Amino acid sequence: MAKKVQASKHDQVQITKMDYRKKRPKAKNPVKVQDLTLRDGHQSLFATRGRTEDMIPVAEMMDEVGFWAVEVWGGATFDTMHRFLNEDPWERLRTLKRYFKRTPFSMLLRGQNLVGYRNYPDDVARAFVERAAANGMDVFRTFDALNDYRNFETVVEGIKEAGKHFQGCICYTMTEPRMGGDVYTLDYYVKKAKDLESMGADSICIKDMAGLIAPYDAYDLVKALKKAVKAPIHLHSHFTSGMSPMSHLKAIEAGVDIVDTCMSPYAYRTSHAAIEPLVMTLLGTNRDTGFDIRLLANINEVLEKEIVPKYRHLLNDTKMSVIDINVLLHQTPGGMLSNLVNQLREMNALDKLDQVYEELPRVRKELGQIPLVTPTSQIVGIQTVNNVLFDNKKERYKMITAQVKDLCYGLYGKTAIPIDKKVQKKALKGYPRGEKPITCRPADVLDMELEEVQKDVGGLAKDLDDQLICAIYPVTGRRFLKWKYGLEEAPDSVKPKTLDAVKAEEEWIKKAKEGELIEKKQQKVPPKGLNLRTFKVFVDDEFFEVGVEEGGSGAPVVSYVQACASPQQPQIAQAVPPGPPPAVPQPSAPPPPPPPPVQQTADPAPAAAKSAVEGTPLTAPMPGLIISIEVKVGDTVQEGDTVLVLEAMKMENSIPAPVSGTIKEIYFGSGDSVTKDELICVIG
Ligand code: CO
């Protein structure tokens, strides 16, 4: 049995003598643990697609473990739920609260960005925090992508007023392979921790979203922070690079108070270290978690058997390796890299990946050496891809996204180092708020919005919670409320997947692999019923669309199979990457029909119409969602005028007119999705 090990003066973990046949002694200073399974876990591994109904089966058991808190909510949760799952994000809080009777709830709050991608005005921020607290939120883990704590002011006021826990985050980032360099030094982090303490932080979190913190840096950092501030220190470190379990242990040795883990089926890869090995590692020490490993095993069994099979298809397991070496090489978040790869793939430009790696640190530096975390990771990432794809030798930053312009204006806050003057000037040319950047707190220049939203959504929103969904997500929020109140039927794609459907799919994959699908195709096809639902089945590079219908016995009846993909379109067969959900709807969904032009009574097939009009075509330079069309048929435009705003990977791009002339025809409206090179309008 364990012997008492002579602990050095600095070593804060001591192994106590323990007789394992007797009762486990209570640790003097147990490490507190926050579980992330129900938020960051499924966000990192299953594109945030976890449904409330799949959290309930383990909720009561998880409540028994003794977690410091369970994280159940965050920006991507709020977004994905109303966009892809047809679930009310507020309702999840109230539902889960009925099962978690003793464990506090925690959420990730993006400071003044709330659970969206831009800074919202103070009235929206105040209302959001108030409603989150009222719906059951206890711990508000608050971060700002620029570590500019002026963006905390309003939400912290609200958190304190509601009597809730304010956890202030320091986004951990780096420019060198280890902590240090010119900007992100030990002193930088200590200063940030002191700033948070002076704002009244109840705890301070080192938010290592990319799994960058190396074990010995974690040790030094926690030691320094413990010395500098009184508030408990919490480490959030993703597994992505493979270092986090080691970093946890070194942080624990340095006296960290709280760490974040996941239940093992939701652990590792781009998620977090698992709880079970940590429990065993600390067993019998003065930092023993006190958790019952058998209870954890029981929870895992339910997750493995009943829950995970519904999400396995979302796991990006095309690689054998569970760690991402690129993170160690490039010091950028794993989710950001996979987003870049996806974006390049959609543009048929995967061969430019090396150029992107080269351009990325340059763009980041020019944009103020900002930390890379949502949304800045996307802002820097997409701009980098735009530069690689559209710039030429003569001109850099040819296509600047609206978000980069906002950043240059100061709308996100103060950057770590000043933004490159040339880039800033170019970005702000013709910027609607003005060409001179601001230095004040960003929300000080934002007009209140809530009243306007309330007027706009009118009776569609029944309460403040509904209104906030629309305030934060204007387009998809409204669509969700229509589903919620039965004004529009929700599409099949947002409906849950049943275990029966999973089994049917697995059978089809098996048959496809055995080459039996072709024969089946020649069988007599029964008529399709009303409850038919379509599933995609991926087999290596091939993709089949399978219609599944619940039969009378409850067993799914497969009524048709259609092979859809050709090897030329391998992107369809890719699993959904971890990280924020794509802004663009599934590529296989048929685009909505173009709005009929006003002056035409009969609208021929779009293809025929598109070839009939003469003039210069304006095509989509990238796949995306049309946010707005700034012109109408008959308008005259000058070359370079903005014709439409296209959202791609959550960034807005103003698409200019390629020539001067008259708008002859427009084939899409706002809210429509377009693929790359799709004809949007004709200028003659
Ligand atoms: Co995280």
Side-chain angles (χ1 to χ4, degrees), residues 215-244:
Y216 291 108
D217 290 339
Y219 185 91
D220 291 345
L221 182 52
V222 170
K223 274 263 168 208
L225 296 186
K226 287 299 291 176
K227 218 170 122 192
V229 294
K230 285 202 183 68
I233 304 297
H234 192 149
L235 176 61
H236 174 88
S237 178
H238 280 255
F239 180 76
T240 321
S241 69
M243 291 192 288
S244 80

Side-chain angles (χ1 to χ4, degrees), residues 148-221:
D148 182 346
Y149 298 143
R150 295 174 305 169
N151 291 327
F152 283 9
E153 283 170 19
T154 304
V155 293
V156 168
E157 238 176 66
I159 297 164
K160 292 280 176 189
E161 249 164 54
K164 303 295 182 182
H165 184 113
F166 160 46
Q167 179 169 87
C169 286
I170 313 170
C171 293
Y172 185 83
T173 189
M174 55 212 315
T175 54
E176 319 289 324
R178 289 281 299 271
M179 182 165 67
D182 302 333
V183 184
Y184 298 106
T185 58
L186 197 57
D187 288 346
Y188 171 90
Y189 293 111
V190 168
K191 187 188 166 294
K192 289 288 167 192
K194 285 184 173 161
D195 290 349
L196 288 173
E197 185 160 65
S198 65
M199 291 187 86
D202 298 298
S203 57
I204 291 171
C205 174
I206 305 162
K207 181 176 160 58
D208 174 25
M209 48 281 163
L212 298 176
I213 199 163
Y216 291 108
D217 290 339
Y219 185 91
D220 291 345
L221 182 52

Side-chain angles (χ1 to χ4, degrees), residues 36 39-40 43-44 71 108 141 207-209 236 238 272:
L36 306 178
R39 202 284 295 178
D40 214 352
Q43 178 173 330
S44 301
E71 193 190 37
L108 183 62
R141 168 176 284 179
K207 181 176 160 58
D208 174 25
M209 48 281 163
H236 174 88
H238 280 255
H272 294 261

Side-chain angles (χ1 to χ4, degrees), residues 606-623:
K610 284 181 189 184
S611 58
V613 183
E614 269 185 39
T616 307
L618 171 62
T619 56
M622 57 193 79

Side-chain angles (χ1 to χ4, degrees), residues 52-81:
T52 310
E53 63 182 43
D54 292 326
M55 301 175 180
I56 291 170
V58 289
E60 279 171 333
M61 283 195 281
M62 286 182 73
D63 194 31
E64 291 298 306
V65 174
F67 291 119
W68 177 77
V70 283
E71 193 190 37
V72 295
W73 231 46
T77 332
F78 202 94
D79 184 349
T80 310
M81 286 183 74

